[in-house]
Amino acid sequence: MTRREKSAIIESLVEKFNAYDHFYIVDATSLSVEAANDFRRRCFQEGVIYQIAKNTLITKSLEKIKSEVNYSSFSETVLKGFSGILFVQEAGSTPAKIVKEFRKQKNLDKPILKG
C-alpha cells in the first residue's frame, strides 16, 4: 500500500470518526466468508457502517479526530490483531445488539467487542 493510499484511508476514517456519534471496535477473525457477509448485511440493514482497517491507520486516525476523549490507550490495549470498526449515528447500543444477536443466531464466539 502506498503512502497516498494510506493517507486517503486515514482521512476517510477521520471523517467518519468526526461524523458519527458512536463507534465500536470488533474482532471478527475466524468468521467464514458467508458469515462475514451475513454480518455486514445485518449491519447495513440496521444503519451501521462496518469497515475493516489496519490498526496503525486506525491509531493515526484517532490521533487526528476532534474529540475531548483521549484514545491513546486504544493502540496499547484494543488495537491488537484483527480490527473492524462499527460506526453508528443515533442509537449507540445498536452495534452491540447486532453482535449479540448474530453470535446467538449463528452459535459463534465471534465477532467480539474489543472497545
Side-chain angles (χ1 to χ4, degrees):
M1 187 178 304
T2 66
R3 286 186 184 192
R4 185 173 287 160
E5 292 170 330
K6 288 178 184 178
S7 56
I9 293 170
I10 290 171
E11 290 307 314
S12 170
L13 287 173
V14 168
E15 288 176 14
K16 286 180 181 169
F17 282 125
N18 286 327
Y20 290 90
D21 295 333
H22 309 281
F23 71 93
Y24 286 75
I25 307 290
V26 296
D27 178 1
T29 307
S30 59
L31 292 182
S32 67
V33 173
E34 180 184 341
N37 287 337
D38 188 32
F39 182 68
R40 283 183 184 276
R41 191 174 306 109
R42 289 176 193 220
C43 289
F44 179 77
Q45 290 169 348
E46 295 293 327
V48 175
I49 295 175
Y50 177 50
Q51 182 174 350
I52 298 168
K54 290 186 173 195
N55 292 330
T56 54
L57 300 179
I58 297 171
T59 301
K60 290 180 181 186
S61 300
L62 288 171
E63 290 170 356
K64 290 185 172 189
I65 64 171
K66 300 170 189 169
S67 175
E68 298 173 2
V69 179
N70 182 3
Y71 293 107
S72 61
S73 64
F74 264 45
S75 61
E76 301 165 2
T77 56
V78 175
L79 297 174
K80 302 288 182 197
F82 179 92
S83 295
I85 311 165
L86 297 171
F87 295 99
V88 66
Q89 187 63 34
E90 295 173 11
S93 62
T94 303
K97 290 177 183 176
I98 292 170
V99 169
K100 182 179 177 181
E101 290 172 8
F102 182 81
R103 290 175 59 175
K104 186 176 180 180
Q105 285 181 340
K106 298 287 186 177
N107 198 21
L108 298 170
D109 60 344
K110 297 266 175 124
I112 58 171
L113 296 174
K114 293 175 22 174

mmCIF file of all heavy atoms in Angstrom, residues 52-92:
data_model
loop_
_atom_site.group_PDB
_atom_site.id
_atom_site.type_symbol
_atom_site.label_atom_id
_atom_site.label_comp_id
_atom_site.label_asym_id
_atom_site.label_seq_id
_atom_site.Cartn_x
_atom_site.Cartn_y
_atom_site.Cartn_z
ATOM 1 N N ILE A 52 -13.270 -2.375 7.845
ATOM 2 C CA ILE A 52 -12.057 -3.018 8.341
ATOM 3 C C ILE A 52 -10.871 -2.147 7.956
ATOM 4 O O ILE A 52 -10.805 -1.642 6.833
ATOM 5 C CB ILE A 52 -11.900 -4.431 7.747
ATOM 6 C CG1 ILE A 52 -13.080 -5.298 8.176
ATOM 7 C CG2 ILE A 52 -10.583 -5.059 8.172
ATOM 8 C CD1 ILE A 52 -13.185 -6.602 7.444
ATOM 9 N N ALA A 53 -9.937 -1.970 8.890
ATOM 10 C CA ALA A 53 -8.752 -1.166 8.615
ATOM 11 C C ALA A 53 -7.586 -1.685 9.444
ATOM 12 O O ALA A 53 -7.781 -2.362 10.454
ATOM 13 C CB ALA A 53 -9.012 0.301 8.942
ATOM 14 N N LYS A 54 -6.393 -1.341 9.002
ATOM 15 C CA LYS A 54 -5.201 -1.723 9.757
ATOM 16 C C LYS A 54 -5.154 -0.937 11.055
ATOM 17 O O LYS A 54 -5.557 0.225 11.115
ATOM 18 C CB LYS A 54 -3.946 -1.435 8.940
ATOM 19 C CG LYS A 54 -3.781 -2.343 7.745
ATOM 20 C CD LYS A 54 -2.452 -2.086 7.077
ATOM 21 C CE LYS A 54 -2.231 -3.102 5.993
ATOM 22 N NZ LYS A 54 -0.849 -3.138 5.553
ATOM 23 N N ASN A 55 -4.632 -1.571 12.091
ATOM 24 C CA ASN A 55 -4.574 -0.948 13.413
ATOM 25 C C ASN A 55 -3.783 0.355 13.412
ATOM 26 O O ASN A 55 -4.169 1.316 14.072
ATOM 27 C CB ASN A 55 -3.988 -1.920 14.430
ATOM 28 C CG ASN A 55 -4.915 -3.084 14.693
ATOM 29 O OD1 ASN A 55 -6.123 -2.951 14.608
ATOM 30 N ND2 ASN A 55 -4.358 -4.228 15.005
ATOM 31 N N THR A 56 -2.679 0.405 12.688
ATOM 32 C CA THR A 56 -1.873 1.627 12.657
ATOM 33 C C THR A 56 -2.643 2.775 12.004
ATOM 34 O O THR A 56 -2.538 3.918 12.442
ATOM 35 C CB THR A 56 -0.544 1.415 11.914
ATOM 36 O OG1 THR A 56 -0.817 0.884 10.606
ATOM 37 C CG2 THR A 56 0.371 0.484 12.657
ATOM 38 N N LEU A 57 -3.443 2.466 10.982
ATOM 39 C CA LEU A 57 -4.234 3.505 10.331
ATOM 40 C C LEU A 57 -5.360 3.987 11.244
ATOM 41 O O LEU A 57 -5.677 5.180 11.279
ATOM 42 C CB LEU A 57 -4.794 3.003 9.003
ATOM 43 C CG LEU A 57 -3.750 2.560 7.963
ATOM 44 C CD1 LEU A 57 -4.439 2.067 6.703
ATOM 45 C CD2 LEU A 57 -2.784 3.674 7.657
ATOM 46 N N ILE A 58 -5.937 3.071 11.998
ATOM 47 C CA ILE A 58 -6.966 3.462 12.971
ATOM 48 C C ILE A 58 -6.345 4.347 14.043
ATOM 49 O O ILE A 58 -6.910 5.380 14.418
ATOM 50 C CB ILE A 58 -7.633 2.223 13.606
ATOM 51 C CG1 ILE A 58 -8.375 1.399 12.552
ATOM 52 C CG2 ILE A 58 -8.588 2.641 14.727
ATOM 53 C CD1 ILE A 58 -8.881 0.055 13.047
ATOM 54 N N THR A 59 -5.177 3.973 14.538
ATOM 55 C CA THR A 59 -4.485 4.754 15.572
ATOM 56 C C THR A 59 -4.199 6.169 15.081
ATOM 57 O O THR A 59 -4.465 7.148 15.774
ATOM 58 C CB THR A 59 -3.169 4.067 15.979
ATOM 59 O OG1 THR A 59 -3.462 2.758 16.475
ATOM 60 C CG2 THR A 59 -2.432 4.857 17.038
ATOM 61 N N LYS A 60 -3.664 6.280 13.862
ATOM 62 C CA LYS A 60 -3.357 7.606 13.316
ATOM 63 C C LYS A 60 -4.625 8.423 13.100
ATOM 64 O O LYS A 60 -4.626 9.644 13.294
ATOM 65 C CB LYS A 60 -2.574 7.465 12.013
ATOM 66 C CG LYS A 60 -1.169 6.958 12.259
ATOM 67 C CD LYS A 60 -0.389 6.804 10.994
ATOM 68 C CE LYS A 60 0.996 6.254 11.338
ATOM 69 N NZ LYS A 60 1.881 6.204 10.209
ATOM 70 N N SER A 61 -5.710 7.770 12.733
ATOM 71 C CA SER A 61 -6.979 8.470 12.549
ATOM 72 C C SER A 61 -7.505 8.994 13.877
ATOM 73 O O SER A 61 -7.991 10.125 13.959
ATOM 74 C CB SER A 61 -8.022 7.535 11.936
ATOM 75 O OG SER A 61 -7.604 7.072 10.691
ATOM 76 N N LEU A 62 -7.421 8.168 14.909
ATOM 77 C CA LEU A 62 -7.896 8.584 16.229
ATOM 78 C C LEU A 62 -7.084 9.747 16.780
ATOM 79 O O LEU A 62 -7.605 10.580 17.528
ATOM 80 C CB LEU A 62 -7.872 7.408 17.205
ATOM 81 C CG LEU A 62 -8.927 6.328 16.973
ATOM 82 C CD1 LEU A 62 -8.672 5.120 17.866
ATOM 83 C CD2 LEU A 62 -10.326 6.871 17.188
ATOM 84 N N GLU A 63 -5.805 9.815 16.412
ATOM 85 C CA GLU A 63 -4.963 10.924 16.856
ATOM 86 C C GLU A 63 -5.387 12.240 16.209
ATOM 87 O O GLU A 63 -5.182 13.307 16.776
ATOM 88 C CB GLU A 63 -3.497 10.650 16.530
ATOM 89 C CG GLU A 63 -2.886 9.542 17.356
ATOM 90 C CD GLU A 63 -1.511 9.108 16.869
ATOM 91 O OE1 GLU A 63 -1.037 9.625 15.825
ATOM 92 O OE2 GLU A 63 -0.905 8.249 17.525
ATOM 93 N N LYS A 64 -5.985 12.171 15.020
ATOM 94 C CA LYS A 64 -6.344 13.370 14.264
ATOM 95 C C LYS A 64 -7.766 13.867 14.499
ATOM 96 O O LYS A 64 -8.102 14.970 14.081
ATOM 97 C CB LYS A 64 -6.184 13.114 12.763
ATOM 98 C CG LYS A 64 -4.762 12.973 12.311
ATOM 99 C CD LYS A 64 -4.719 12.856 10.809
ATOM 100 C CE LYS A 64 -3.288 12.914 10.313
ATOM 101 N NZ LYS A 64 -3.248 13.025 8.854
ATOM 102 N N ILE A 65 -8.615 13.075 15.151
ATOM 103 C CA ILE A 65 -10.012 13.489 15.270
ATOM 104 C C ILE A 65 -10.185 14.593 16.307
ATOM 105 O O ILE A 65 -9.367 14.754 17.209
ATOM 106 C CB ILE A 65 -10.956 12.304 15.601
ATOM 107 C CG1 ILE A 65 -10.642 11.694 16.961
ATOM 108 C CG2 ILE A 65 -10.936 11.277 14.515
ATOM 109 C CD1 ILE A 65 -11.669 10.688 17.419
ATOM 110 N N LYS A 66 -11.275 15.334 16.140
ATOM 111 C CA LYS A 66 -11.617 16.402 17.068
ATOM 112 C C LYS A 66 -12.485 15.805 18.167
ATOM 113 O O LYS A 66 -13.665 15.563 17.965
ATOM 114 C CB LYS A 66 -12.383 17.493 16.336
ATOM 115 C CG LYS A 66 -11.622 18.119 15.205
ATOM 116 C CD LYS A 66 -12.514 19.002 14.387
ATOM 117 C CE LYS A 66 -11.787 19.449 13.134
ATOM 118 N NZ LYS A 66 -12.683 20.083 12.178
ATOM 119 N N SER A 67 -11.888 15.529 19.306
ATOM 120 C CA SER A 67 -12.634 14.908 20.397
ATOM 121 C C SER A 67 -12.018 15.288 21.735
ATOM 122 O O SER A 67 -10.816 15.533 21.833
ATOM 123 C CB SER A 67 -12.614 13.387 20.246
ATOM 124 O OG SER A 67 -13.234 12.769 21.336
ATOM 125 N N GLU A 68 -12.858 15.311 22.748
ATOM 126 C CA GLU A 68 -12.383 15.567 24.102
ATOM 127 C C GLU A 68 -11.811 14.301 24.726
ATOM 128 O O GLU A 68 -11.133 14.346 25.744
ATOM 129 C CB GLU A 68 -13.528 16.089 24.956
ATOM 130 C CG GLU A 68 -14.083 17.409 24.465
ATOM 131 C CD GLU A 68 -15.319 17.829 25.213
ATOM 132 O OE1 GLU A 68 -15.738 17.121 26.148
ATOM 133 O OE2 GLU A 68 -15.876 18.876 24.862
ATOM 134 N N VAL A 69 -12.088 13.165 24.111
ATOM 135 C CA VAL A 69 -11.646 11.876 24.629
ATOM 136 C C VAL A 69 -10.241 11.574 24.117
ATOM 137 O O VAL A 69 -9.933 11.784 22.948
ATOM 138 C CB VAL A 69 -12.619 10.754 24.192
ATOM 139 C CG1 VAL A 69 -12.160 9.408 24.711
ATOM 140 C CG2 VAL A 69 -14.018 11.067 24.653
ATOM 141 N N ASN A 70 -9.397 11.060 24.996
ATOM 142 C CA ASN A 70 -8.047 10.669 24.620
ATOM 143 C C ASN A 70 -8.043 9.176 24.294
ATOM 144 O O ASN A 70 -8.265 8.349 25.173
ATOM 145 C CB ASN A 70 -7.075 10.981 25.759
ATOM 146 C CG ASN A 70 -5.652 10.651 25.405
ATOM 147 O OD1 ASN A 70 -5.339 10.243 24.294
ATOM 148 N ND2 ASN A 70 -4.759 10.840 26.359
ATOM 149 N N TYR A 71 -7.790 8.840 23.028
ATOM 150 C CA TYR A 71 -7.817 7.448 22.588
ATOM 151 C C TYR A 71 -6.420 6.821 22.524
ATOM 152 O O TYR A 71 -6.249 5.777 21.915
ATOM 153 C CB TYR A 71 -8.467 7.348 21.203
ATOM 154 C CG TYR A 71 -9.929 7.701 21.206
ATOM 155 C CD1 TYR A 71 -10.375 8.893 20.660
ATOM 156 C CD2 TYR A 71 -10.867 6.844 21.760
ATOM 157 C CE1 TYR A 71 -11.716 9.227 20.646
ATOM 158 C CE2 TYR A 71 -12.214 7.163 21.766
ATOM 159 C CZ TYR A 71 -12.626 8.351 21.206
ATOM 160 O OH TYR A 71 -13.962 8.673 21.208
ATOM 161 N N SER A 72 -5.431 7.425 23.151
ATOM 162 C CA SER A 72 -4.065 6.912 23.055
ATOM 163 C C SER A 72 -3.925 5.511 23.648
ATOM 164 O O SER A 72 -3.100 4.725 23.193
ATOM 165 C CB SER A 72 -3.077 7.864 23.722
ATOM 166 O OG SER A 72 -3.394 8.009 25.093
ATOM 167 N N SER A 73 -4.734 5.165 24.635
ATOM 168 C CA SER A 73 -4.648 3.833 25.243
ATOM 169 C C SER A 73 -5.202 2.746 24.318
ATOM 170 O O SER A 73 -4.918 1.571 24.504
ATOM 171 C CB SER A 73 -5.378 3.799 26.576
ATOM 172 O OG SER A 73 -6.762 4.039 26.375
ATOM 173 N N PHE A 74 -5.994 3.128 23.306
ATOM 174 C CA PHE A 74 -6.541 2.150 22.374
ATOM 175 C C PHE A 74 -5.442 1.380 21.661
ATOM 176 O O PHE A 74 -5.547 0.178 21.471
ATOM 177 C CB PHE A 74 -7.420 2.850 21.332
ATOM 178 C CG PHE A 74 -8.879 2.838 21.655
ATOM 179 C CD1 PHE A 74 -9.342 3.131 22.920
ATOM 180 C CD2 PHE A 74 -9.805 2.548 20.682
ATOM 181 C CE1 PHE A 74 -10.681 3.135 23.218
ATOM 182 C CE2 PHE A 74 -11.157 2.545 20.962
ATOM 183 C CZ PHE A 74 -11.595 2.839 22.233
ATOM 184 N N SER A 75 -4.392 2.080 21.243
ATOM 185 C CA SER A 75 -3.340 1.402 20.484
ATOM 186 C C SER A 75 -2.611 0.367 21.331
ATOM 187 O O SER A 75 -2.083 -0.600 20.804
ATOM 188 C CB SER A 75 -2.347 2.412 19.913
ATOM 189 O OG SER A 75 -1.730 3.130 20.956
ATOM 190 N N GLU A 76 -2.602 0.551 22.631
ATOM 191 C CA GLU A 76 -1.912 -0.386 23.517
ATOM 192 C C GLU A 76 -2.793 -1.560 23.928
ATOM 193 O O GLU A 76 -2.296 -2.662 24.154
ATOM 194 C CB GLU A 76 -1.449 0.348 24.779
ATOM 195 C CG GLU A 76 -0.512 1.491 24.501
ATOM 196 C CD GLU A 76 -0.354 2.414 25.694
ATOM 197 O OE1 GLU A 76 -0.942 2.142 26.765
ATOM 198 O OE2 GLU A 76 0.347 3.421 25.550
ATOM 199 N N THR A 77 -4.088 -1.338 24.045
ATOM 200 C CA THR A 77 -4.967 -2.367 24.586
ATOM 201 C C THR A 77 -5.941 -2.953 23.575
ATOM 202 O O THR A 77 -6.069 -4.158 23.446
ATOM 203 C CB THR A 77 -5.775 -1.797 25.770
ATOM 204 O OG1 THR A 77 -6.491 -0.637 25.327
ATOM 205 C CG2 THR A 77 -4.876 -1.410 26.923
ATOM 206 N N VAL A 78 -6.651 -2.107 22.841
ATOM 207 C CA VAL A 78 -7.741 -2.557 21.977
ATOM 208 C C VAL A 78 -7.268 -2.931 20.578
ATOM 209 O O VAL A 78 -7.718 -3.922 20.004
ATOM 210 C CB VAL A 78 -8.838 -1.466 21.901
ATOM 211 C CG1 VAL A 78 -9.928 -1.849 20.929
ATOM 212 C CG2 VAL A 78 -9.409 -1.194 23.277
ATOM 213 N N LEU A 79 -6.374 -2.150 20.022
ATOM 214 C CA LEU A 79 -5.969 -2.338 18.625
ATOM 215 C C LEU A 79 -4.844 -3.359 18.488
ATOM 216 O O LEU A 79 -3.723 -3.043 18.097
ATOM 217 C CB LEU A 79 -5.583 -0.991 18.011
ATOM 218 C CG LEU A 79 -6.727 0.014 17.932
ATOM 219 C CD1 LEU A 79 -6.234 1.360 17.458
ATOM 220 C CD2 LEU A 79 -7.836 -0.507 17.046
ATOM 221 N N LYS A 80 -5.181 -4.579 18.781
ATOM 222 C CA LYS A 80 -4.267 -5.722 18.618
ATOM 223 C C LYS A 80 -4.975 -6.750 17.754
ATOM 224 O O LYS A 80 -6.169 -6.998 17.920
ATOM 225 C CB LYS A 80 -3.916 -6.358 19.968
ATOM 226 C CG LYS A 80 -3.281 -5.423 20.960
ATOM 227 C CD LYS A 80 -1.876 -5.095 20.574
ATOM 228 C CE LYS A 80 -1.258 -4.197 21.633
ATOM 229 N NZ LYS A 80 -0.090 -3.514 21.205
ATOM 230 N N GLY A 81 -4.284 -7.361 16.831
ATOM 231 C CA GLY A 81 -4.902 -8.367 15.969
ATOM 232 C C GLY A 81 -5.858 -7.742 14.975
ATOM 233 O O GLY A 81 -5.695 -6.602 14.554
ATOM 234 N N PHE A 82 -6.882 -8.482 14.600
ATOM 235 C CA PHE A 82 -7.881 -8.041 13.621
ATOM 236 C C PHE A 82 -8.771 -6.960 14.236
ATOM 237 O O PHE A 82 -9.225 -7.101 15.358
ATOM 238 C CB PHE A 82 -8.736 -9.239 13.202
ATOM 239 C CG PHE A 82 -9.816 -8.910 12.212
ATOM 240 C CD1 PHE A 82 -9.565 -9.018 10.860
ATOM 241 C CD2 PHE A 82 -11.060 -8.489 12.628
ATOM 242 C CE1 PHE A 82 -10.545 -8.719 9.943
ATOM 243 C CE2 PHE A 82 -12.045 -8.192 11.719
ATOM 244 C CZ PHE A 82 -11.789 -8.303 10.372
ATOM 245 N N SER A 83 -9.027 -5.891 13.487
ATOM 246 C CA SER A 83 -9.911 -4.838 13.975
ATOM 247 C C SER A 83 -10.855 -4.370 12.883
ATOM 248 O O SER A 83 -10.430 -4.020 11.790
ATOM 249 C CB SER A 83 -9.109 -3.636 14.480
ATOM 250 O OG SER A 83 -8.341 -3.982 15.598
ATOM 251 N N GLY A 84 -12.119 -4.375 13.210
ATOM 252 C CA GLY A 84 -13.143 -3.802 12.355
ATOM 253 C C GLY A 84 -13.837 -2.714 13.156
ATOM 254 O O GLY A 84 -13.895 -2.765 14.380
ATOM 255 N N ILE A 85 -14.354 -1.710 12.467
ATOM 256 C CA ILE A 85 -14.992 -0.592 13.144
ATOM 257 C C ILE A 85 -16.459 -0.549 12.756
ATOM 258 O O ILE A 85 -16.798 -0.644 11.574
ATOM 259 C CB ILE A 85 -14.332 0.749 12.759
ATOM 260 C CG1 ILE A 85 -12.817 0.665 12.877
ATOM 261 C CG2 ILE A 85 -14.871 1.877 13.625
ATOM 262 C CD1 ILE A 85 -12.097 1.793 12.199
ATOM 263 N N LEU A 86 -17.310 -0.413 13.748
ATOM 264 C CA LEU A 86 -18.748 -0.251 13.528
ATOM 265 C C LEU A 86 -19.105 1.191 13.866
ATOM 266 O O LEU A 86 -18.950 1.623 15.011
ATOM 267 C CB LEU A 86 -19.544 -1.202 14.422
ATOM 268 C CG LEU A 86 -19.331 -2.690 14.200
ATOM 269 C CD1 LEU A 86 -20.012 -3.485 15.299
ATOM 270 C CD2 LEU A 86 -19.857 -3.101 12.848
ATOM 271 N N PHE A 87 -19.547 1.960 12.873
ATOM 272 C CA PHE A 87 -19.955 3.344 13.065
ATOM 273 C C PHE A 87 -21.472 3.418 13.097
ATOM 274 O O PHE A 87 -22.135 2.836 12.246
ATOM 275 C CB PHE A 87 -19.467 4.225 11.904
ATOM 276 C CG PHE A 87 -17.975 4.355 11.804
ATOM 277 C CD1 PHE A 87 -17.269 3.577 10.915
ATOM 278 C CD2 PHE A 87 -17.298 5.278 12.585
ATOM 279 C CE1 PHE A 87 -15.899 3.707 10.793
ATOM 280 C CE2 PHE A 87 -15.921 5.407 12.471
ATOM 281 C CZ PHE A 87 -15.218 4.621 11.580
ATOM 282 N N VAL A 88 -22.007 4.183 14.050
ATOM 283 C CA VAL A 88 -23.458 4.366 14.130
ATOM 284 C C VAL A 88 -23.744 5.799 14.559
ATOM 285 O O VAL A 88 -23.017 6.367 15.374
ATOM 286 C CB VAL A 88 -24.113 3.337 15.081
ATOM 287 C CG1 VAL A 88 -23.681 3.530 16.497
ATOM 288 C CG2 VAL A 88 -25.618 3.363 14.960
ATOM 289 N N GLN A 89 -24.802 6.366 14.005
ATOM 290 C CA GLN A 89 -25.129 7.762 14.269
ATOM 291 C C GLN A 89 -26.003 7.928 15.504
ATOM 292 O O GLN A 89 -25.664 8.669 16.394
ATOM 293 C CB GLN A 89 -25.826 8.372 13.055
ATOM 294 C CG GLN A 89 -26.054 9.856 13.161
ATOM 295 C CD GLN A 89 -24.782 10.655 13.235
ATOM 296 O OE1 GLN A 89 -23.779 10.311 12.646
ATOM 297 N NE2 GLN A 89 -24.797 11.717 14.003
ATOM 298 N N GLU A 90 -27.121 7.254 15.551
ATOM 299 C CA GLU A 90 -28.117 7.578 16.573
ATOM 300 C C GLU A 90 -28.014 6.703 17.817
ATOM 301 O O GLU A 90 -27.529 7.136 18.835
ATOM 302 C CB GLU A 90 -29.509 7.494 15.968
ATOM 303 C CG GLU A 90 -29.724 8.536 14.888
ATOM 304 C CD GLU A 90 -31.026 8.366 14.162
ATOM 305 O OE1 GLU A 90 -31.870 7.578 14.614
ATOM 306 O OE2 GLU A 90 -31.200 9.018 13.125
ATOM 307 N N ALA A 91 -28.476 5.492 17.749
ATOM 308 C CA ALA A 91 -28.518 4.613 18.922
ATOM 309 C C ALA A 91 -27.172 3.926 19.115
ATOM 310 O O ALA A 91 -26.800 3.055 18.339
ATOM 311 C CB ALA A 91 -29.627 3.580 18.772
ATOM 312 N N GLY A 92 -26.456 4.326 20.151
ATOM 313 C CA GLY A 92 -25.127 3.777 20.391
ATOM 314 C C GLY A 92 -25.113 2.312 20.753
ATOM 315 O O GLY A 92 -24.089 1.649 20.638
#
